[in-house]
Amino acid sequence: MSAADTLLSAVPTSPAAGIKTLARLGFAAIGVVYLLMGVLALLAAAGQQQGAHADKEEAVQRLQDLPGGRVLLGFIAVGLVGYIVWRFTQAVRDTESKGSGASGLGMRLWYIVSGLFYSGLALYAGRLALNGRAEKGSDASKTLAAHVLGWPGGDWLLLLGGLVVIGIGLFQGFRAYSGRFHRDVDASALPDSQRRLVYRTGQAGFTARGVVLGLVGYFLVQAGQQARAGAVGSTDEAFDLLAAMGPVVLGVVAAGLAAYGLYMLVQAKYSVLRGI
């Protein structure tokens, strides 16, 4: 088979196949981002200056320094857009059979929110790929919080938003220790030892992600209580707080985020995509 035939065979031949390809690209892109983020945080835990900032945008920006960096950035941008498409597909087509009841609609709304969560990062990666530079959106959450605080009852809205984010973090922990996360991966082709390793990696990853989300939610609660937008914090501030607890604490969570990245890379290859 020629190289051209190989490339043509990889092109999706139907809308369903296209959506599946986009979903897998999305999982892979998220895996790369979290793996890099975990490595940067591990460097910070080890006292290395280059790991001082370990948020998603910093992780993406570091790709510029690698050979073929702009190509990698383009892959991240396209992959994240693919993930957004997949999440919207889950919501609109109800691929998980959640139904149209209150809880079902809430879960389908969450799919949309989960997808849009990566929209800013996709835009940032795309601009870096095309222009070689882009403004970071690290202050966007503080700017948004300042606008919310200008609304009637804005402080309560921030507090409520923080509690919701904390709840999502706790749900990540529930997924980790209930094993529900593993239903999205078909590792039946792997030997038992590798399946166990994949499972434990996922547990560590979802737990660490839950911890970080819980801290981001805590910052939102503090911003609501103090009516101060400056109290809002992102992943980077969460790492700063973990670092204040000691390098071991930061290192454990950082390793967990790297594990989450690895698990997402596994999911990209062995993903279970229902309803398509």
Side-chain angles (χ1 to χ4, degrees):
M1 180 181 289
S2 68
D5 291 335
T6 302
L7 287 172
L8 286 172
S9 66
V11 176
T13 57
S14 69
I19 291 173
K20 287 181 179 180
T21 299
L22 288 172
R24 293 178 189 276
L25 286 174
F27 298 142
I30 291 172
V32 171
V33 170
Y34 270 90
L35 182 58
L36 287 173
M37 191 165 58
V39 169
L40 289 174
L42 281 170
L43 289 173
Q48 300 295 320
Q49 181 63 32
Q50 61 263 38
H53 300 286
D55 58 12
K56 294 181 183 69
E57 289 183 343
E58 180 69 17
V60 167
Q61 191 177 51
R62 293 300 178 100
L63 290 172
Q64 284 184 306
D65 302 329
L66 300 177
R70 286 201 174 185
V71 175
L72 291 172
L73 286 166
F75 160 75
I76 294 296
V78 172
L80 292 176
V81 170
Y83 181 79
I84 294 169
V85 170
W86 168 241
R87 283 307 215 180
F88 271 73
T89 300
Q90 284 183 299
V92 174
R93 297 182 60 172
D94 193 18
T95 61
E96 304 295 321
S97 301
K98 296 299 181 181
S100 299
S103 60
L105 288 175
M107 196 66 198
R108 291 163 70 179
L109 177 61
W110 161 245
Y111 293 147
I112 293 175
V113 173
S114 174
L116 290 176
F117 178 76
Y118 289 99
S119 59
L121 187 63
L123 182 61
Y124 181 72
R127 285 176 173 170
L128 283 177
L130 293 173
N131 305 321
R133 57 186 176 81
E135 292 184 5
K136 285 192 173 185
S138 56
D139 291 332
S141 57
K142 290 182 173 59
T143 302
L144 178 60
H147 283 300
V148 172
L149 285 173
W151 302 345
D155 52 345
W156 285 99
L157 286 174
L158 285 182
L159 197 153
L160 179 60
L163 292 176
V164 169
V165 174
I166 290 172
I168 294 171
L170 291 173
F171 181 67
Q172 296 296 305
F174 169 73
R175 290 191 72 195
Y177 290 95
S178 67
R180 292 179 61 177
F181 69 93
H182 209 50
R183 296 185 300 183
D184 297 327
V185 171
D186 180 10
S188 58
L190 298 176
D192 288 343
S193 59
Q194 292 184 20
R195 281 204 301 269
R196 287 194 295 270
L197 178 60
V198 169
Y199 184 81
R200 296 304 180 194
T201 300
Q203 278 192 316
F206 278 92
T207 301
R209 192 164 181 253
V211 169
V212 173
L213 283 171
L215 291 176
V216 172
Y218 165 76
F219 294 141
L220 274 171
V221 169
Q222 291 295 302
Q225 289 181 332
Q226 301 171 15
R228 186 169 63 89
V232 173
S234 63
T235 305
D236 200 17
E237 284 80 11
F239 283 139
D240 288 341
L241 181 57
L242 290 168
M245 300 178 188
V248 173
V249 175
L250 177 59
V252 168
V253 176
L257 290 178
Y260 182 78
L262 291 172
Y263 185 81
M264 293 302 288
L265 290 174
V266 172
Q267 186 173 349
K269 183 173 183 180
Y270 299 105
S271 55
V272 177
L273 303 173
R274 292 173 284 270
I276 299 295

